[in-house]
Amino acid sequence: MASEPVPVFSKPVTLRDVAAQAGVSVATASKALNDQGRMTAETRERIRETARRLGFRPNSLAQSLLRRRSFTVGLLTNDTYGRFSLPLMSGISDALVDNGVSVFLCNVEEDPRLGQMHVDAMLDKRVDGIIATGKRIDRHLPVDLSNLRVPVIYAFTQPDPDAIAFVSDDAGGARLAVEHLCRLGRRRIAHVTGPASFAVVHARAQAYRDVLAENGLPVTEPLLGSWSEAWGHEAVAQLFDSRNERPDAVFCGNDQIARGVIDALRERGLNVPNDVGVIGFDNWEIVAEATRPPLTSVDMNLVALGREAGLTLLSLVGGQPAAPGIRKLPCRLVVRQSCGHPLDG
Amino acid sequence: MASEPVPVFSKPVTLRDVAAQAGVSVATASKALNDQGRMTAETRERIRETARRLGFRPNSLAQSLLRRRSFTVGLLTNDTYGRFSLPLMSGISDALVDNGVSVFLCNVEEDPRLGQMHVDAMLDKRVDGIIATGKRIDRHLPVDLSNLRVPVIYAFTQPDPDAIAFVSDDAGGARLAVEHLCRLGRRRIAHVTGPASFAVVHARAQAYRDVLAENGLPVTEPLLGSWSEAWGHEAVAQLFDSRNERPDAVFCGNDQIARGVIDALRERGLNVPNDVGVIGFDNWEIVAEATRPPLTSVDMNLVALGREAGLTLLSLVGGQPAAPGIRKLPCRLVVRQSCGHPLDG
């Protein structure tokens, strides 16, 4: 059927062009050309005719996709609260929706049997690939994802060796926070964070120390505790009851700690941000926007991280190689009102 | 192959018996007998041999299941934050895991095209059934689920007419809260809640009025606002600045409002629970456990609701009929420390 003339020297015709011309979605166009999906015979034929007429030639990626795609991606998580997984899922979905790909999320909790069952179900359903995610980057999901017949990508969870993984750059995020406080003229910056059992606690604490040293500021030892508001309260008591010089800023390991810190400071009659600037981590909006004043916080860019993971998976599915290893994606600082303006002198 | 003797008058052999005898999960046993799933030929034959030996006769439900099961259920939601969907998903999963069924969650957001795409993907994957859920019970998901070839159940979202739906009993939940306050001797109970555009606001407010009337207590008009902490603060100003008699209890429409109310009361020097008792709604643990004191709250029992929805879907998949209509499941009160003990006289 290659008898019709193909435009030469013009931009190649894409699946998107075919879809637009046929008045259907890219997903539907792809499915029609791939003999997949549910549609009337008329629709399928109309799309094929459009593709022929435009001289559509699937590129190798597209061809590969057309051969083997099921247009679904499995997302495995053990993040029961969804704080980390749902933004990530939204990013993956964003990246794949234009390709007509649906993301199916399964919760494996902490149960290897459940994990195996869900992985089996995903493979039975011929997902194009699997993305594993979790609630912390230093723990592996309770499930073996090596040697599957589909590509696997890790995002915000500990990967297998030699796998492809995306995580947020925790040290970089901590740098953003502490540098912001330095830039505003804060000179006695404390760090109140979570338990020592979390790798991110150490990564962020080291960045905190580094930035203070680079700025010639005194380093006080980070206070380690739990990821809770109650710990924020307690840490303020420790920091402000002592005879040492009081901090003029607190960099907190998450937004809940920061919430506790801000409330405790207010109750001591200290003004945030005038007396003490406070920064959180996670940019969990429901917390960060409810603190008084609203909380400046480090955002791990999980939506963008999900988008990257989704696009990379798509290209693996299409047969394009990708180098193994851990990619650290940058965080960003979301500035609200808890750090104030630059201090004078 | 029905030549072997079948025990008569003894309890029928179940799939669970076969699984136990063969040393495999119920899911694996079911898949083996159904020619589905991934397992070695040896395992499959061993399970079948066990079934033959025990004289296993699938009942009509099981037969039906064996004929047509794909062991997956699709869960559609538009609850991006997952506050309502994830507990529900956990309940569905609980109910189905012993049957080897995986739950796949797809987020349709507010986009009908996305919704259609995900439904198509689920049908392409031959899910056994679909459960639709959302973030409020008076809005329909942006997707048409009528006339699908698989059973559909609605849970915590507005159903189609004549569908099967599970929702929490909001009026009943509000009753639990207000009756609890009455029982503790509170006499001037205010109600601070969300916007008038939510059906639950009216259902809960009416229950509030009813219970106060039944107890011969004065009814003040509920204060309607937003679902936020900030509104809790503002409502306290309205209630406690006025020249009217001050409330000795506040029943709040959600936990975030209650958080704002508790913080605002503390800042006015009022003690919770001694001066004012406070109850929230949702039992969102991350909020309810962080208030000072920890918040007594109405729990919508979404895990149980998900379990019911999952079991009902399973029986529909098995060919057992279920009456259409909306089932209201009871809420429960989770008592923490924000209402205190019974007041004297």
Side-chain angles (χ1 to χ4, degrees), chain A residues 25 27 31 36-38 70-72 79-83 86-87 89-90 93-94 96-107 109 111 113-114 116-127 148-149 229 233 256 259 263-264 266-267 284-287 290-292, chain B residues 25 27 31 36-38 70-72 79-83 86-87 89-90 93-94 96-107 109 111 113-114 116-127 148-149 229 233 256 259 263-264 266-267 284-287 290-292:
Chain A
S25 71
K31 287 173 185 174
Q36 288 197 348
R38 300 184 315 149
S70 83
F71 294 94
T72 46
D79 174 24
T80 320
Y81 251 113
R83 274 172 59 182
L86 291 179
M89 181 177 186
S90 152
S93 197
D94 265 10
L96 302 186
V97 65
D98 281 343
N99 297 279
V101 176
S102 288
V103 183
F104 288 169
L105 175 126
C106 276
N107 194 331
E109 299 171 23
D111 182 348
R113 279 182 334 126
L114 198 60
Q116 190 57 51
M117 189 182 102
H118 290 325
V119 170
D120 285 350
M122 286 180 171
L123 294 175
D124 283 350
K125 300 279 155 285
R126 313 254 157 218
V127 294
L148 298 189
R149 63 167 188 264
E229 285 189 40
H233 280 272
Q256 286 159 280
R259 169 79 193 245
D263 286 352
R266 184 188 315 104
E267 286 164 28
W284 194 22
E285 288 179 359
I286 213 151
V287 174
T291 62
R292 290 169 299 144
Chain B
S25 72
K31 286 174 185 172
Q36 288 196 348
R38 300 185 315 152
S70 83
F71 295 93
T72 46
D79 174 23
T80 320
Y81 252 112
R83 274 174 58 183
L86 291 180
M89 181 175 185
S90 152
S93 197
D94 265 8
L96 302 186
V97 66
D98 281 342
N99 298 279
V101 177
S102 289
V103 184
F104 288 170
L105 177 129
C106 276
N107 194 332
E109 298 171 23
D111 182 348
R113 276 183 336 127
L114 199 58
Q116 189 58 49
M117 190 182 102
H118 289 325
V119 171
D120 286 350
M122 286 180 172
L123 295 175
D124 283 350
K125 299 280 155 283
R126 312 254 157 217
V127 295
L148 298 188
R149 64 170 187 261
E229 286 189 39
H233 281 271
Q256 287 158 281
R259 169 82 194 244
D263 285 353
R266 183 189 315 105
E267 286 164 27
W284 195 22
E285 287 179 359
I286 212 153
V287 174
T291 62
R292 292 172 297 145

Side-chain angles (χ1 to χ4, degrees), chain B residues 33-294:
Chain B
L33 300 177
N34 189 26
D35 250 339
Q36 288 196 348
R38 300 185 315 152
M39 64 190 78
T40 64
E42 288 72 22
T43 303
R44 198 180 295 276
E45 188 42 45
R46 181 165 55 80
I47 295 166
R48 291 187 170 174
E49 172 51 32
T50 306
R52 277 195 293 271
R53 187 163 49 75
L54 295 179
F56 173 64
R57 293 283 172 280
N59 61 29
S60 67
L61 169 60
Q63 269 182 319
S64 165
L65 295 181
L66 291 181
R67 263 201 307 275
R68 8 176 204 157
R69 294 292 302 284
S70 83
F71 295 93
T72 46
V73 161
L75 179 62
L76 291 168
T77 185
N78 65 348
D79 174 23
T80 320
Y81 252 112
R83 274 174 58 183
F84 305 115
S85 298
L86 291 180
L88 200 94
M89 181 175 185
S90 152
I92 298 170
S93 197
D94 265 8
L96 302 186
V97 66
D98 281 342
N99 298 279
V101 177
S102 289
V103 184
F104 288 170
L105 177 129
C106 276
N107 194 332
V108 303
E109 298 171 23
E110 304 301 333
D111 182 348
R113 276 183 336 127
L114 199 58
Q116 189 58 49
M117 190 182 102
H118 289 325
V119 171
D120 286 350
M122 286 180 172
L123 295 175
D124 283 350
K125 299 280 155 283
R126 312 254 157 217
V127 295
D128 294 326
I130 289 178
I131 299 178
T133 186
K135 53 192 173 194
R136 51 191 287 190
I137 62 175
D138 54 357
R139 289 287 184 278
H140 199 281
L141 284 190
V143 56
D144 179 13
L145 298 174
S146 55
N147 302 314
L148 298 188
R149 64 170 187 261
V150 298
V152 173
I153 283 186
Y154 294 82
F156 203 75
T157 189
Q158 189 174 57
D160 280 346
D162 298 325
I164 299 174
F166 293 88
V167 297
S168 46
D169 178 3
D170 275 284
R175 272 199 161 266
L176 290 176
V178 185
E179 284 172 352
H180 181 69
L181 292 168
C182 291
R183 207 176 306 121
L184 293 173
R186 306 287 168 166
R187 290 293 168 260
R188 299 178 306 282
I189 303 170
H191 183 31
V192 177
T193 186
S197 58
F198 280 70
V200 295
V201 164
H202 303 286
R204 295 174 191 169
Q206 189 54 51
Y208 157 78
R209 287 190 201 95
D210 291 348
V211 174
L212 292 184
E214 290 162 19
N215 283 271
L217 295 176
V219 178
T220 55
E221 261 317 283
L223 297 182
L224 274 57
S226 68
W227 296 116
S228 68
E229 286 189 39
W231 165 232
H233 281 271
E234 198 185 317
V236 165
Q238 289 184 27
L239 287 168
F240 290 79
D241 282 347
S242 83
R243 261 157 293 162
N244 300 330
E245 219 181 359
R246 292 172 167 187
D248 60 8
V250 185
F251 165 43
C252 301
N254 79 353
D255 291 342
Q256 287 158 281
I257 294 172
R259 169 82 194 244
V261 164
I262 288 181
D263 285 353
L265 290 170
R266 183 189 315 105
E267 286 164 27
R268 289 177 168 255
L270 291 168
N271 181 282
V272 175
N274 293 347
D275 298 320
V276 185
V278 179
I279 292 192
F281 208 106
D282 287 347
N283 191 33
W284 195 22
E285 287 179 359
I286 212 153
V287 174
E289 290 174 355
T291 62
R292 292 172 297 145

Side-chain angles (χ1 to χ4, degrees), chain A residues 69-293:
Chain A
R69 294 293 300 285
S70 83
F71 294 94
T72 46
V73 161
L75 180 62
L76 290 168
T77 184
N78 65 349
D79 174 24
T80 320
Y81 251 113
R83 274 172 59 182
F84 306 115
S85 298
L86 291 179
L88 200 94
M89 181 177 186
S90 152
I92 298 169
S93 197
D94 265 10
L96 302 186
V97 65
D98 281 343
N99 297 279
V101 176
S102 288
V103 183
F104 288 169
L105 175 126
C106 276
N107 194 331
V108 303
E109 299 171 23
E110 303 301 336
D111 182 348
R113 279 182 334 126
L114 198 60
Q116 190 57 51
M117 189 182 102
H118 290 325
V119 170
D120 285 350
M122 286 180 171
L123 294 175
D124 283 350
K125 300 279 155 285
R126 313 254 157 218
V127 294
D128 293 327
I130 289 179
I131 299 177
T133 185
K135 53 193 174 194
R136 51 191 288 190
I137 62 175
D138 54 358
R139 289 287 184 277
H140 199 282
L141 284 191
V143 57
D144 178 14
L145 298 174
S146 57
N147 302 313
L148 298 189
R149 63 167 188 264
V150 298
V152 173
I153 284 186
Y154 294 81
F156 202 74
T157 189
Q158 190 175 56
D160 280 346
D162 298 326
I164 298 174
F166 293 88
V167 297
S168 46
D169 178 2
D170 274 284
R175 273 199 161 267
L176 289 177
V178 185
E179 284 172 351
H180 181 69
L181 291 169
C182 292
R183 207 175 306 121
L184 293 174
R186 307 285 170 168
R187 289 291 168 261
R188 300 179 305 282
I189 303 170
H191 183 31
V192 177
T193 186
S197 59
F198 280 71
V200 296
V201 163
H202 304 285
R204 295 173 192 170
Q206 190 54 50
Y208 157 79
R209 288 189 200 95
D210 291 348
V211 174
L212 292 185
E214 290 162 19
N215 283 270
L217 295 177
V219 178
T220 54
E221 262 316 283
L223 298 181
L224 274 57
S226 68
W227 296 116
S228 67
E229 285 189 40
W231 165 233
H233 280 272
E234 199 185 317
V236 165
Q238 291 185 25
L239 288 168
F240 289 80
D241 281 347
S242 85
R243 260 157 293 164
N244 299 330
E245 217 180 2
R246 292 171 167 188
D248 60 8
V250 185
F251 165 43
C252 302
N254 79 353
D255 292 340
Q256 286 159 280
I257 294 172
R259 169 79 193 245
V261 165
I262 288 182
D263 286 352
L265 290 170
R266 184 188 315 104
E267 286 164 28
R268 289 178 168 254
L270 290 169
N271 181 283
V272 175
N274 293 348
D275 299 320
V276 185
V278 179
I279 292 193
F281 208 105
D282 287 347
N283 192 32
W284 194 22
E285 288 179 359
I286 213 151
V287 174
E289 290 174 357
T291 62
R292 290 169 299 144

